[in-house]
Amino acid sequence: REKGVSGLLFADVHHIPFRDRSFDAALIVHLLHLVEDWRMVVREAARVVTGAVISVAESVEGINLRARYREIRTKMGYPTSNFEEGEQGLRRRVTPVSVIEVVRTARELDADKEIDHLLRRDQSITWGVPEEEHRRIIGELRESYGGRTLEGKGLIELLVWSPEQIGRASCRES
């Protein structure tokens, strides 16, 4: 609204307040790792569309500090309860009918900036970890990667599923 966008609706994505097949397409972007029940969200997206459920999926080659944080927290006894695999996890469970490459990138990441980002708990991967353990994980990341520039490659793709395909598949357990 602050940017002048009209027609906004605030709703629970687990229960989309529209009739079946109200839209041509649904777009899921960086969402599945944040919701309580990702399967319900995917089923709801499939329910309200006639054409396609589309997602943006990002993959990274090289050191991924978020993934490293997840590994350490799990070893400490704080596994994540959300669907941290997100849209890539959905892709592994249900093969898209179409995959469209958007961009390939070479990346250089300042490890200290990324660690500071994690320290501030700006990433959902840090949520639910007690402060003392969070600080310990941050210390381990700084010890291993602090002062470094992390190089890698990135790939962003659009993934497209039919509503019937993804609606059925999201009901299955992994």
Side-chain angles (χ1 to χ4, degrees):
R1 289 184 183 150
E2 291 171 3
K3 295 180 180 183
V5 177
S6 63
L8 296 175
L9 175 71
F10 183 78
D12 180 353
V13 73
H14 294 86
H15 305 282
I16 300 172
F18 292 101
R19 292 187 179 119
D20 294 0
R21 297 176 294 286
S22 294
F23 303 97
D24 293 332
L27 179 63
I28 298 173
V29 180
H30 299 298
L31 173 71
L32 298 179
H33 67 288
L34 297 173
V35 297
E36 184 177 317
D37 184 346
W38 69 270
R39 287 179 180 85
M40 181 180 285
V41 170
V42 171
R43 280 192 302 271
E44 278 292 282
R47 179 185 66 77
V48 299
V49 302
T50 58
V53 175
I54 303 167
S55 182
V56 174
E58 181 178 9
S59 55
V60 175
E61 291 179 27
I63 296 170
N64 181 329
L65 293 181
R66 283 178 277 177
R68 189 70 191 107
Y69 187 102
R70 180 175 36 255
E71 291 168 12
I72 297 168
R73 77 174 275 174
T74 299
K75 284 181 187 174
M76 291 178 134
Y78 297 98
T80 56
S81 58
N82 289 354
F83 186 54
E84 287 297 329
E85 296 173 79
E87 288 74 10
Q88 287 289 15
L90 182 57
R91 176 189 199 166
R92 283 189 284 281
R93 286 168 172 75
V94 186
T95 302
V97 294
S98 180
V99 176
I100 302 161
E101 184 176 313
V102 176
V103 66
R104 287 183 182 270
T105 61
R107 67 179 185 102
E108 287 188 354
L109 191 67
D110 180 322
D112 291 323
K113 286 183 182 177
E114 183 72 10
I115 293 168
D116 288 343
H117 188 62
L118 291 165
L119 175 63
R120 291 189 308 269
R121 295 185 183 260
D122 292 338
Q123 294 285 327
S124 63
I125 192 68
T126 65
W127 304 346
V129 177
E131 188 62 26
E132 184 177 327
E133 285 79 0
H134 173 66
R135 297 271 178 185
R136 201 168 334 142
I137 295 169
I138 295 299
E140 189 170 325
L141 293 175
R142 283 204 199 284
E143 185 176 315
S144 298
Y145 304 104
R148 293 177 53 188
T149 298
L150 306 177
E151 296 181 3
K153 296 178 182 177
L155 173 62
I156 297 176
E157 299 170 301
L158 285 179
L159 311 176
V160 182
W161 295 271
S162 73
E164 298 80 20
Q165 170 198 31
I166 202 159
R168 284 190 312 269
S170 68
C171 296
R172 295 194 311 248
E173 285 294 320
S174 54

